[in-house]
Amino acid sequence: MRDAPPSGHGEGRHSRHPVVGVHHVRGWQPVEAGRELVEMVIDHALGQRRRRAGAPEAQGCAREGALAACRLQLAGLLRAAGLFEDAERELVAALTTIPTYGDAVLALAALRRETGNAAGTIGVLARFLEGDPYHLDALASLGESLHV
């Protein structure tokens, strides 16, 4: 029988995080810890794939896609926490990895629109639509950005 994890409250300087069961320290930087966790998850997932498949170039592409998807998820959490600059940095990094990642483009456009950066919103959507002019969600987001 497993013991319940500690609550993480009032248990000294080091304690276990109540949700994910990882150790944390007071003064912990959520963005850096989030990036480390993302890297650990990706490395674990790719390790599982390597054992099953074995194609190195496919692993590189899979790692880039997984990293971009994790950065998108991390950006969503940062945005919800009100850390807009950090969220934007993660989205830009995701788009640096995969410039045609539509979900990241839409998230970056929404974030910039929310923070009042109309020029940045229109710019990122226009660049994306140059490569994919029929992407309906990007067109709708651009229309919404121009309307505001």
Side-chain angles (χ1 to χ4, degrees), residues 3-4 13 27 33 42 47 52 56-57 59-60 63 77 82 84 96 101 103 105-106 114 117 120 125 134 145 148:
D3 293 330
R13 180 167 163 74
I42 291 170
R52 285 187 295 223
E57 57 279 344
Q59 292 167 9
R63 179 173 172 78
L77 294 172
F84 300 123
T96 301
Y101 190 12
D103 290 340
V105 168
L106 295 171
E114 182 178 341
N117 183 354
L125 289 168
Y134 300 107
S145 300
V148 174

Side-chain angles (χ1 to χ4, degrees), residues 3-141:
D3 293 330
S7 68
H9 300 289
E11 296 180 10
R13 180 167 163 74
H14 297 277
S15 60
R16 290 181 58 82
H17 188 279
V19 178
V20 293
V22 296
H23 287 280
H24 70 277
V25 178
R26 285 192 189 120
W28 170 71
Q29 297 296 318
V31 173
E32 287 304 315
R35 285 188 187 119
E36 290 174 17
L37 184 60
V38 165
E39 289 293 329
M40 286 176 20
V41 168
I42 291 170
D43 288 341
H44 176 72
L46 289 176
Q48 296 289 331
R49 285 189 189 150
R50 278 188 207 113
R51 286 189 284 281
R52 285 187 295 223
E57 57 279 344
Q59 292 167 9
C61 291
R63 179 173 172 78
E64 288 176 0
L67 181 58
C70 287
R71 286 189 183 279
L72 175 63
Q73 295 300 315
L74 179 57
L77 294 172
L78 292 167
R79 180 180 177 190
L83 301 170
F84 300 123
E85 290 177 10
D86 293 323
E88 182 164 347
R89 205 173 0 262
E90 291 300 325
L91 291 168
V92 168
L95 289 169
T96 301
T97 305
I98 302 177
T100 58
Y101 190 12
D103 290 340
V105 168
L106 295 171
L108 181 58
L111 178 66
R112 287 182 174 173
R113 190 170 36 253
E114 182 178 341
T115 58
N117 183 354
T121 301
I122 293 168
V124 73
L125 289 168
R127 280 189 301 277
F128 178 71
L129 286 166
E130 285 176 357
D132 188 358
Y134 300 107
H135 193 284
L136 293 179
D137 291 332
L139 288 168
S141 183

